[in-house]
Amino acid sequence: MEKTVLITGASAGIGKATAIYLAQNGYNVYGAARRIEKMEDLKGYGIKPISLDVTREESLVACVEQILREAGSIDILVNNAGSGYYGALEDMSISDAKYQMEVNVFGVARLIQLVLPSMRKNNFGKIVNLSSVGGKVTLPMGGWYHASKFAIEGLSDALRKEVKSFGIDVIVIEPGGTKSEMIGHGTEYMMKVSGETAYGKLAKGVSKMYEKIEKDAAEPIVIAKLIKEGIEAKNPKTRYVGASGAKLMLFFRRILSDKQFDKMVMSQMN
C-alpha cells in the first residue's frame, strides 16, 4: 500500500527536497506551507500542496482533516517547518522569541497530537522531527533557536517511549550546514537587532562564520535521503545526523568539556 506523507515547510529547502524525493520514490505526498504559491511546481511531481500555518490552530486542524478525508490516513509526518531567528538574548524581543518557539516547538507538538489518533488506530506511524546539530551544541546569538531545538530533542525522546507500543516510531534528524533560506534570514535578523548594540562585534563574527558555513553547506537532498532511510528502516535509529560538519561538531561536543568547547566555538568568531 502507498504510504501517505505530510511534510511541513515544503515550500523551500529540506522540506521541498524531501517532498520531491519521496514522491519520486512512490509515496503519496502532501507538501504543506504558508506560501502555497511557492509549491505550484510540486504538482508536477504528483505532490499535493496544502496551506498550513503551524502557529494557527484552525489551520493545523483543517490541514490534517483534509488529508484524512482525501487519503484515509497520515502514515508519516515530517515536521520540517522552522524559524531560525538569531540575535543576542538581551536584544531579541520576547514576542519574536515566542513566535520562534511557536513555530519550532508548539506547532510541532500540536500537529503530532492531531495525527496520533489515526496512527494509533492503524497501529502504524512514523513521526520525523527535524532538529539540528543546534539541538545538541550552541553558538552565541542563537539562544532561542537552540532552546527550541533542544526542546525538540527532549520532546521526541519522551514521545518515542509513549507511542512505541502503538507501532509508531519517532525519528530525530540532526542536519548540519544545509543550503536553505533560513541562514540568510536568520543572519539578516541578527544584524538588525544586535548589529549596532553592545553585541555588535560578536554579531559580525557570527555573521562571518555563517558565511563560511553557507559556502560549505550541503544540498538539501542529503537530508531528504536520511529521512527516507529512517522511515523505511524496520527498526529505525532514534537519530540520523548528516550534512556539512555535523558529525565532526557532535564528536567535539562529546570529547570536550563545556569550557573547552566554548573556547573552540568562540575561536571561529574572528
Side-chain angles (χ1 to χ4, degrees):
M1 286 285 290
E2 184 182 59
K3 299 288 184 211
T4 296
V5 188
L6 167 58
I7 302 171
T8 67
S11 61
I14 291 169
K16 190 166 200 169
T18 303
I20 293 169
Y21 189 61
L22 293 184
Q24 289 171 331
N25 281 274
Y27 289 86
N28 178 31
V29 178
Y30 282 82
R34 279 179 308 139
R35 301 173 299 176
I36 198 159
E37 71 283 356
K38 292 235 172 191
M39 298 187 288
E40 275 300 309
D41 58 327
L42 295 183
K43 291 178 181 176
Y45 297 92
I47 296 161
K48 300 162 192 74
I50 190 165
S51 175
L52 175 64
D53 181 342
V54 297
T55 68
R56 290 176 52 236
E57 170 72 7
E58 61 272 27
S59 182
L60 289 158
V61 170
C63 173
V64 170
E65 285 181 348
Q66 180 184 330
I67 299 170
L68 290 177
R69 191 168 60 245
E70 292 175 3
S73 67
I74 296 172
D75 305 298
I76 299 153
L77 169 64
V78 180
N79 278 310
N80 166 74
S83 164
Y85 291 153
Y86 262 53
L89 186 72
E90 186 179 343
D91 296 331
M92 272 185 75
S93 70
I94 291 298
S95 61
D96 283 351
K98 282 181 176 176
Y99 176 78
Q100 183 143 266
M101 297 300 278
E102 196 72 46
V103 173
N104 290 2
V105 183
F106 296 112
V108 168
R110 184 61 184 129
L111 205 44
I112 291 169
Q113 287 181 332
L114 290 167
V115 303
L116 274 175
S118 165
M119 287 183 174
R120 282 192 294 100
K121 185 180 165 192
N122 296 331
N123 204 40
F124 178 87
K126 307 279 181 184
I127 295 170
V128 180
N129 292 331
L130 267 287
S131 177
S132 165
V133 171
K136 292 279 183 65
V137 304
T138 63
L139 297 174
M141 318 299 278
W144 287 111
Y145 174 74
H146 294 302
S148 72
K149 292 305 183 181
F150 271 63
I152 285 296
E153 297 275 343
L155 182 142
S156 300
D157 282 345
L159 179 67
R160 187 175 67 249
K161 301 172 185 74
E162 293 169 7
V163 300
K164 186 68 182 169
S165 66
F166 302 114
I168 300 165
D169 292 310
V170 178
I171 300 160
V172 175
I173 306 290
E174 295 173 340
T178 313
K179 286 184 178 142
S180 75
E181 296 176 339
M182 198 181 287
I183 293 175
H185 290 163
T187 308
E188 189 182 327
Y189 176 88
M190 176 182 68
M191 295 312 294
K192 187 174 81 177
V193 299
S194 292
E196 302 300 326
T197 70
Y199 302 93
K201 186 180 174 187
L202 182 56
K204 289 178 182 73
V206 173
S207 183
K208 274 185 195 164
M209 192 198 65
Y210 264 111
E211 278 174 25
K212 285 184 216 159
I213 289 173
E214 211 163 6
K215 271 184 205 159
D216 300 328
E219 292 296 332
I221 188 64
V222 172
I223 303 303
K225 286 179 176 177
L226 270 189
I227 291 169
K228 181 174 178 285
E229 182 186 336
I231 62 177
E232 291 184 352
K234 191 171 180 185
N235 184 25
K237 294 189 280 190
T238 57
R239 284 168 172 77
Y240 291 81
V241 183
S244 179
K247 289 181 179 175
L248 187 62
M249 185 67 97
L250 292 180
F251 170 74
F252 281 127
R253 186 64 194 94
R254 236 178 2 254
I255 64 167
L256 298 176
S257 70
D258 288 348
K259 288 187 176 179
Q260 285 171 330
F261 189 78
D262 287 354
K263 194 173 177 183
M264 185 193 86
V265 167
M266 294 308 287
S267 72
Q268 305 300 307
M269 302 295 147
N270 301 321

